[in-house]
Amino acid sequence: MLKAVIIGSGNVAQHLIKAFLNSKKIELVQVYTRNSEAVTHLLASNKITNSLNSISEADIYIIAVSDDAIADISLKLPFTDRLVVHTSGSVALEQLDTKNRRGVFYPLQTFSKNKEVDFSKIPLCLESEQSNDYKILEETAKAISPLLYTIDSRQRQSLHVAAVFVNNFTNHMYTIGNQICNKNAIPFDILRPLIQETAAKIELLTPLEAQTGPAKRKDEKTIEKHLKFLKDDNQKAIYTLLTQSIQKTDV
Amino acid sequence: MLKAVIIGSGNVAQHLIKAFLNSKKIELVQVYTRNSEAVTHLLASNKITNSLNSISEADIYIIAVSDDAIADISLKLPFTDRLVVHTSGSVALEQLDTKNRRGVFYPLQTFSKNKEVDFSKIPLCLESEQSNDYKILEETAKAISPLLYTIDSRQRQSLHVAAVFVNNFTNHMYTIGNQICNKNAIPFDILRPLIQETAAKIELLTPLEAQTGPAKRKDEKTIEKHLKFLKDDNQKAIYTLLTQSIQKTDV
């Protein structure tokens, strides 16, 4: 059974810790964090360390810390020639210090503290410098999800940008929907089924097939009515730009 | 049991026909359409007419045609003082001819020809001029969904605009995600779980609580990297505007 150490105690680290603890195919030997209280509810205190010098031996070290801290922590690791990977969508493999064998283990999902996730539905994007290490990465990943993808650093960067559109920006569309409801004394609940169906459609159709609405059907009368209705300049600007963008999109 | 006539044979009309046929609480007595082939697979031919003069007597007439055709068809109806409603999010009640009692029966959902919908999860936005008619509207609506909302014309317009944001514009975010994947030889499937989770979060959290990403955490380094990565001017403009909008949004 492969042995793993997780470095970090934030959102991604905590979700990974839970997934590994639930898996019978991998042994989580230790978690390193400077903030041990963040993980004491998840595992026994003898498996938590805040000292780099007492870090355990393992087949794979998974750095799940904020992007800015990845290079620094990889530099401080007191060992060499072991497999060290990070979990970031936007940091290149090369940011990891060369004294260890390097790789990336990027779970493409949105993690919130207050919402459990099912790792078996999370695509894991894997990259390694050495082909032997890819097997370790793959075995580690398989322990928690069947959705494995070989993704190089350039592709991972593009995925991270795509994820900003389909997650962050989509969620902001929900926020604007919520703002419009609030302003007109309508419960936001009324929009929730539409939000669910909009996503559900994408399981069956391509986004181009699923596109509907005034922009798509070039219904200028309705577009004009909506722009007149919107009093907020920011919402107006977004409506205008996205309407143009839909109309420019090739089918 | 209430008797209903549906006028129209497009997307919304077809989904309503199926919902009424499946309900034991309402009798769909007839469908009027100039394009009877569109509905012959749904109901017996003696229940379909293309002549306004042979339109049946009913408790409620539901006009489910394109926005531009609503006023015209309501004018041509060869009877008076009956309850006539339309199903549009963006057309005022006043567009219906005054010779009949007027109302609105707006299902807030996105309908596609190739995707079944579960009406019991669709919010129905109801409006009537006369309070007695509201009871008929309510009984009709209850026959297919428990999610009833009293929504006046002004509120309905705001809902329609909100729906453009949470549905049309969200779907366009998926399209851009798809474009970025295509350009980088990545299967779009890899984004589907993220799309589902983004929507699923909204069942438990408010959009403001669910917001994550570089814009939200004011991670200028990543934002700059993403803008440098994006070569398409349109995608760049959308990224910039939505990032600013997230950063301006009050928590």
Side-chain angles (χ1 to χ4, degrees), chain A residues 108 125 151 155-163, chain B residues 181 186 190-191:
Chain A
L108 181 59
C125 306
I151 295 290
Q155 286 176 313
R156 195 172 62 255
Q157 202 189 352
S158 75
L159 265 180
H160 195 246
V161 178
Chain B
C181 282
I186 301 168
I190 200 173
L191 288 180

Side-chain angles (χ1 to χ4, degrees), chain A residues 90 110 112 121 160 167-168 171-172 192-193 196 198-199 201-203 207 211-212 225-226 229 234 245, chain B residues 90 110 112 121 158 160 167-168 171-172 184 192-193 196 198-199 201-203 207 211 225-226 229 234 245:
Chain A
S90 63
T110 169
S112 298
K121 288 175 184 159
H160 195 246
N167 172 260
N168 302 166
N171 188 75
H172 191 56
R192 285 195 159 101
Q196 297 311 316
T198 303
K201 268 176 141 179
I202 291 305
E203 295 290 280
Q211 189 68 55
T212 57
K225 226 193 283 184
H226 286 178
F229 178 88
N234 181 47
S245 181
Chain B
S90 62
T110 168
S112 299
K121 288 174 185 159
S158 75
H160 195 247
N167 171 261
N168 302 166
N171 188 76
H172 190 56
N184 292 279
R192 285 197 160 100
Q196 297 311 316
T198 304
K201 268 175 143 179
I202 292 304
E203 295 290 280
Q211 189 68 55
K225 227 193 283 184
H226 285 177
F229 178 87
N234 180 49
S245 181

Side-chain angles (χ1 to χ4, degrees), chain A residues 120-131:
Chain A
S120 71
K121 288 175 184 159
I122 297 182
L124 298 175
C125 306
L126 309 180
E127 179 183 12
S128 70
E129 269 186 317
Q130 299 178 23
S131 58

Side-chain angles (χ1 to χ4, degrees), chain B:
Chain B
M1 189 151 62
L2 283 181
K3 291 179 176 177
V5 166
I6 290 178
I7 294 165
S9 59
N11 247 335
V12 176
Q14 291 199 24
H15 284 288
L16 273 178
I17 291 167
K18 285 185 224 168
F20 284 147
L21 289 175
N22 282 329
S23 167
K24 283 166 190 149
K25 292 180 186 161
I26 197 149
E27 187 190 351
L28 179 63
V29 291
Q30 199 182 41
V31 171
Y32 164 82
T33 173
R34 282 177 307 181
N35 173 25
S36 42
E37 300 94 68
V39 291
T40 44
H41 64 294
L42 294 176
L43 72 177
S45 60
N46 66 348
K47 286 198 166 183
I48 307 169
T49 181
N50 58 11
S51 153
L52 284 169
N53 288 320
S54 53
I55 214 161
S56 299
E57 188 142 358
D59 299 295
I60 183 168
Y61 294 80
I62 302 176
I63 300 179
V65 301
S66 64
D67 289 0
D68 286 346
I70 290 171
D72 186 52
I73 190 87
S74 85
L75 204 64
K76 286 184 181 152
L77 292 176
F79 49 75
T80 60
D81 199 35
R82 298 189 194 168
L83 178 58
V84 173
V85 304
H86 73 64
T87 57
S88 167
S90 62
V91 171
L93 180 143
E94 287 71 26
Q95 293 283 306
L96 295 167
D97 190 68
T98 52
K99 70 182 168 193
N100 281 298
R101 288 145 35 215
R102 305 182 293 181
V104 179
F105 184 96
Y106 169 46
L108 182 60
Q109 191 48 280
T110 168
F111 297 98
S112 299
K113 276 220 173 88
N114 306 317
K115 170 93 172 62
E116 293 299 316
V117 294
D118 176 0
F119 250 97
S120 71
K121 288 174 185 159
I122 297 182
L124 299 175
C125 306
L126 310 180
E127 178 183 13
S128 70
E129 267 185 318
Q130 300 179 22
S131 59
N132 280 346
D133 288 335
Y134 193 83
K135 287 173 202 151
I136 301 177
L137 261 176
E138 205 172 29
E139 206 181 316
T140 309
K142 269 187 190 159
I144 56 173
S145 170
L147 309 175
L148 312 189
Y149 293 86
T150 309
I151 295 289
D152 66 28
S153 283
R154 164 93 195 164
Q155 287 176 313
R156 195 172 62 256
Q157 202 189 351
S158 75
L159 265 179
H160 195 247
V161 178
V164 167
F165 279 91
V166 307
N167 171 261
N168 302 166
F169 292 166
T170 285
N171 188 76
H172 190 56
M173 297 300 109
Y174 305 161
T175 301
I176 294 176
N178 199 353
Q179 288 168 342
I180 294 172
C181 282
N182 286 349
K183 213 183 153 188
N184 292 279
I186 301 168
F188 177 64
D189 275 348
I190 200 173
L191 288 180
R192 285 197 160 100
L194 179 61
I195 287 173
Q196 297 311 316
E197 178 68 11
T198 304
K201 268 175 143 179
I202 292 304
E203 295 290 280
L204 298 170
L205 308 175
T206 68
L208 273 178
E209 288 166 346
Q211 189 68 55
T212 57
K216 167 76 179 183
R217 62 175 190 270
K218 300 202 163 52
D219 175 355
E220 298 302 331
K221 231 167 96 181
T222 300
I223 292 167
E224 213 174 290
K225 227 193 283 184
H226 285 177
L227 284 171
K228 215 173 136 188
F229 178 87
L230 289 169
K231 300 298 173 216
D232 180 293
D233 283 342
N234 180 49
Q235 290 172 0
K236 238 191 212 339
I238 292 171
Y239 190 103
T240 304
L241 185 62
L242 294 182
T243 293
Q244 286 167 355
S245 181
I246 290 171
Q247 296 188 336
K248 275 195 289 218
T249 301
D250 298 327
V251 181

Side-chain angles (χ1 to χ4, degrees), chain A residues 17-251:
Chain A
I17 291 168
K18 285 183 223 168
F20 283 147
L21 289 175
N22 282 329
S23 168
K24 282 166 190 148
K25 292 180 186 161
I26 197 148
E27 187 190 350
L28 180 64
V29 292
Q30 199 181 41
V31 171
Y32 165 82
T33 172
R34 281 177 305 182
N35 174 24
S36 42
E37 301 94 67
V39 291
T40 44
H41 64 295
L42 294 175
L43 71 178
S45 59
N46 66 348
K47 287 199 165 183
I48 307 170
T49 182
N50 58 11
S51 154
L52 284 169
N53 288 320
S54 53
I55 214 161
S56 299
E57 187 141 358
D59 299 296
I60 183 168
Y61 294 80
I62 301 176
I63 300 180
V65 300
S66 65
D67 289 359
D68 286 346
I70 291 170
D72 186 52
I73 190 86
S74 86
L75 204 64
K76 287 185 180 150
L77 292 175
F79 49 75
T80 61
D81 199 34
R82 298 189 194 168
L83 178 57
V84 173
V85 305
H86 72 64
T87 57
S88 169
S90 63
V91 171
L93 181 144
E94 286 73 26
Q95 293 281 307
L96 294 168
D97 190 69
T98 51
K99 70 182 168 194
N100 282 297
R101 289 146 33 217
R102 306 182 291 180
V104 179
F105 184 97
Y106 169 45
L108 181 59
Q109 191 48 282
T110 169
F111 297 98
S112 298
K113 277 221 171 86
N114 305 318
K115 170 93 172 61
E116 292 299 315
V117 292
D118 176 0
F119 249 98
S120 71
K121 288 175 184 159
I122 297 182
L124 298 175
C125 306
L126 309 180
E127 179 183 12
S128 70
E129 269 186 317
Q130 299 178 23
S131 58
N132 280 346
D133 288 334
Y134 193 83
K135 287 173 202 152
I136 301 177
L137 261 178
E138 205 171 28
E139 206 181 317
T140 309
K142 269 186 190 160
I144 56 174
S145 171
L147 308 176
L148 312 189
Y149 292 86
T150 310
I151 295 290
D152 66 28
S153 283
R154 164 91 194 163
Q155 286 176 313
R156 195 172 62 255
Q157 202 189 352
S158 75
L159 265 180
H160 195 246
V161 178
V164 167
F165 280 91
V166 306
N167 172 260
N168 302 166
F169 292 166
T170 285
N171 188 75
H172 191 56
M173 297 301 110
Y174 305 160
T175 301
I176 294 175
N178 199 352
Q179 288 169 342
I180 294 172
C181 282
N182 286 348
K183 213 182 152 189
N184 293 279
I186 301 167
F188 177 64
D189 274 348
I190 200 173
L191 288 180
R192 285 195 159 101
L194 179 60
I195 287 172
Q196 297 311 316
E197 178 68 11
T198 303
K201 268 176 141 179
I202 291 305
E203 295 290 280
L204 298 169
L205 307 175
T206 68
L208 274 179
E209 288 167 344
Q211 189 68 55
T212 57
K216 168 74 176 182
R217 61 174 189 269
K218 299 201 164 51
D219 175 354
E220 297 302 331
K221 231 166 97 181
T222 300
I223 293 167
E224 213 174 289
K225 226 193 283 184
H226 286 178
L227 285 171
K228 216 174 136 187
F229 178 88
L230 290 168
K231 300 297 174 218
D232 180 294
D233 283 342
N234 181 47
Q235 291 173 359
K236 240 192 212 337
I238 293 170
Y239 190 102
T240 304
L241 185 62
L242 295 182
T243 294
Q244 286 167 354
S245 181
I246 290 171
Q247 296 188 337
K248 276 195 288 218
T249 301
D250 297 327
V251 182

